[in-house]
Amino acid sequence: MRPRKAYVKIKYRGSGDSKVISDRVSEFTYSDAATGESDVVAIKIHNVDQAFLEQMPQRGDSFDVEIRLSDWDKENVLKIFDCGRFCVDDQDFSGWPLVANIGGTSLPEKRAFHATDRTCTWEATSISEIASEICSRYGLSLQYEGPDCYIDNVEQTEETDCGFLKKLCEDYGLNIKVYRGSVIIYDAVLYEAKPAARKIKLTDFLDWSYSGTMTEIYTGATIQYSNSQQEEEYEVEIGGGGRMLNISEKVDNLEAAIIKARAKVNKANRGEETFSGTLPGDPMLCAGMNFELTGVPGIGGKYFIDKISHSITAENAYKMSITAHKVQEAV
């Protein structure tokens, strides 16, 4: 039997040597978030012969990363998982022995997307149109999956395009992430409704923790909105029951009011039951997927993965930590 092997393949797109980097990785971490955070990698490199120091990467350079599993499930079979493309945003070197630490983020290489503040007014538009225009500024493609919403007027005030778009999506119940030159926007409730990608027994976890609460969990909400002429003010209620969320912000049409109220209630309710744990590495399990937790009454069921962090060491040890929330009935 050939021994199982987990390792990292890096294709450096700057002046550095990809083989020099890949062959010297001693620790690797890849964090994959479903929304609100950039995917990031952290790479520790033992630079025994100073070759890497002589080809030091530059901040802003990009590199592609793959997790490779050799003979992992079957002998003579190589599995490849594409983590994506990352931009070098952090680096440090120390000695002796000579060690390099490289940090990368999935944010685009054009730093204005997440570094330059803008002030403007968006009028008579929609979420997808705003996202499309922002993406076109930076040569990013847009993948949009979910309901769109007409917006009469929204202000972007001294905010980066990245920060503004993330907040806009969050307000309307949409998840957003950047992957390989694409901005991916999708309906969180739509993805929670998908079937579980796989079943995982509680005993499969190396360690785990569960938390349940009724604090700030809601059965419905009320929110105010005005007509387009801003002459009359209305209040709309969604859901019902004894735990209502009163939303103080005003919106300018009924459709937006309903969508934003639903988004706030559903986001709050995702904190009702949460789970985290460590598993043997499996790159086929990603943030944004569902899994079914089995083997334990009470806390079992379908969970949505909010974040996964993969870690690989030079000794081929491969583990991943999962943070997830139990899928609740959406309002």
Side-chain angles (χ1 to χ4, degrees):
M1 292 288 291
R2 297 175 60 177
R4 300 199 309 170
K5 184 179 179 182
Y7 61 99
V8 181
K9 182 72 172 180
I10 298 171
K11 184 177 181 181
Y12 186 58
R13 300 170 62 84
S15 58
D17 186 310
S18 298
K19 190 175 189 315
V20 168
I21 299 172
S22 297
D23 289 350
R24 289 167 172 76
V25 174
S26 60
E27 293 179 18
F28 168 80
T29 303
Y30 162 56
S31 296
D32 169 25
T35 187
E37 300 178 31
S38 304
D39 290 352
V40 296
V41 292
I43 306 167
K44 185 175 182 179
I45 300 168
H46 280 318
N47 197 10
V48 180
D49 57 5
Q50 301 189 36
F52 188 65
L53 187 61
E54 294 169 2
Q55 302 175 59
M56 184 172 65
Q58 302 299 310
R59 288 183 296 276
D61 285 350
S62 63
F63 56 95
D64 300 327
V65 180
E66 294 175 349
I67 292 175
R68 295 195 168 196
L69 304 178
S70 176
D71 305 296
W72 200 257
D73 297 319
K74 294 181 180 180
E75 197 168 6
N76 298 317
V77 174
L78 175 66
K79 282 187 174 182
I80 299 175
F81 175 70
D82 184 3
C83 301
R85 180 165 297 167
F86 299 86
C87 178
V88 176
D89 69 343
D90 190 29
Q91 57 184 188
D92 64 72
F93 302 88
S94 61
W96 307 102
L98 193 55
V99 173
N101 290 287
I102 306 299
T105 175
S106 63
L107 287 173
E109 297 169 43
K110 295 183 179 179
R111 293 182 57 82
F113 178 65
H114 55 94
T116 302
D117 289 340
R118 290 180 182 271
T119 296
C120 65
T121 300
W122 301 83
E123 296 181 310
T125 185
S126 68
I127 299 172
S128 65
E129 288 174 352
I130 292 173
S132 180
E133 183 172 333
I134 288 176
C135 286
S136 66
R137 289 177 185 164
Y138 307 101
L140 301 169
S141 62
L142 173 66
Q143 298 179 36
Y144 192 101
E145 185 178 355
D148 207 356
C149 183
Y150 176 80
I151 296 175
D152 289 346
N153 180 292
V154 63
E155 298 285 341
Q156 180 179 349
T157 306
E158 295 185 358
E159 296 175 274
T160 65
D161 283 340
C162 178
F164 170 73
L165 190 55
K166 284 181 179 179
K167 183 178 183 302
L168 184 68
C169 288
E170 181 180 313
D171 286 347
Y172 286 87
L174 298 167
N175 283 359
I176 178 172
K177 69 178 298 172
V178 178
Y179 178 80
R180 277 207 170 277
S182 293
V183 172
I184 302 168
I185 296 175
Y186 63 95
D187 180 15
V189 172
L190 180 67
Y191 271 58
E192 288 174 328
K194 291 185 176 186
R198 66 188 55 188
K199 294 181 179 180
I200 305 177
K201 296 178 182 178
L202 188 67
T203 52
D204 291 337
F205 285 89
L206 305 174
D207 57 63
W208 60 274
S209 64
Y210 164 88
S211 177
T213 183
M214 289 298 293
T215 304
E216 297 184 352
I217 303 302
Y218 304 98
T219 54
T222 60
I223 188 172
Q224 294 179 330
Y225 72 97
S226 304
N227 64 9
S228 58
Q229 287 76 36
Q230 304 295 311
E231 294 174 353
E232 296 183 59
E233 191 172 280
Y234 305 89
E235 185 175 87
V236 64
E237 180 179 299
I238 63 163
R243 299 193 305 277
M244 299 294 287
L245 173 63
N246 294 313
I247 301 170
S248 59
E249 69 176 285
K250 294 181 181 180
V251 293
D252 48 23
N253 62 69
L254 176 60
E255 179 192 24
I258 292 173
I259 293 175
K260 292 186 87 170
R262 284 175 177 166
K264 287 186 179 294
V265 172
N266 290 329
K267 181 182 178 183
N269 290 351
R270 291 184 180 110
E272 184 173 354
E273 294 181 86
T274 58
F275 181 90
S276 62
T278 305
L279 284 166
D282 180 358
M284 301 300 116
L285 208 56
C286 305
M289 285 184 174
N290 299 314
F291 72 92
E292 184 180 348
L293 180 64
T294 65
V296 56
I299 70 173
K302 186 167 72 170
Y303 284 80
F304 178 91
I305 301 174
D306 297 303
K307 188 174 183 179
I308 293 185
S309 292
H310 302 258
S311 63
I312 298 175
T313 68
E315 293 75 27
N316 300 321
Y318 178 21
K319 297 179 182 180
M320 63 185 188
S321 60
I322 290 178
T323 303
H325 68 265
K326 194 171 187 178
V327 176
Q328 309 293 332
E329 184 177 354
V331 173

